[in-house]
Amino acid sequence: MTKAIVIGASSGIGKAVSEILVKNGCYVGITGRRENNLLEIQKANSENIVIKSFDCTDDSTFEKLDELVIVLGGLDLVIFSSGIGEFNETLDFEIEKETINLNVLAFTKICDWSYNYFQKQGFGHLVCISSIAGLRGNKTAPSYNASKAYQINYLEGLRQKSNTTNIIITDVRPGFVDTNMAKGDGLFWVASKEKAAIQIYNLIRKKSEIGYVSKRWAVIALILKIIPNFIYKKM
């Protein structure tokens, strides 16, 4: 039985992915700040889900993760699905700071703990939900796009580091998914949480290095990469 931890599973993509993992025979530890939400998820399958409520920006994160691994009896897979993103056209530093604390500092903390754990045991799979937003900057949410760019580059560094090991690093880059994170008018190609979770599970199963959710966003990614700077800055 695959033993997995999903960071940020109290709602959204993390919750949907946790449910898919359980349906496919995994023993799953779910984390999040909202304990009541975690308990509701656990009720649906108490035999295959254990919970640990904590804020991954806190200093106690490593201790909480260690405790969860003990309960699970081991660890094969870590999925980081925690994140925050807000419009911030006025450059309110408190908004930027909150984004950086979770999307950069906590993300790095989870990645490092996971990689070091897997390195000691000789194998493992780290999956992180970054975003297609990390491919270019954005004037309305500067820190969000920048933090996702950090995640994409950090994961690439870990893949390079793990090249001769049995550690797998998967970077999942969603477009718009029907969660509280999807903000703004004129959203298109919005995938349901359930569809996103199925595609993420398939990426995990195939041990993919990079994947876009839904798949069609790979086209947008290509366009974003080739748009010249003089055009993009006017958009």
Side-chain angles (χ1 to χ4, degrees), residues 123-167:
F123 67 91
H125 193 169
L126 172 63
V127 179
C128 293
I129 313 298
S130 63
S131 173
I132 193 172
L135 299 180
R136 301 297 292 258
N138 185 282
K139 61 187 177 183
T140 59
S143 62
Y144 178 74
N145 285 50
S147 68
K148 292 301 178 178
Y150 174 89
Q151 291 182 0
I152 288 171
N153 278 271
Y154 201 88
L155 294 171
E156 184 172 37
L158 292 183
R159 275 197 303 277
Q160 187 180 50
K161 185 178 181 66
S162 65
N163 186 47
T164 58
T165 73
N166 291 319
I167 302 173

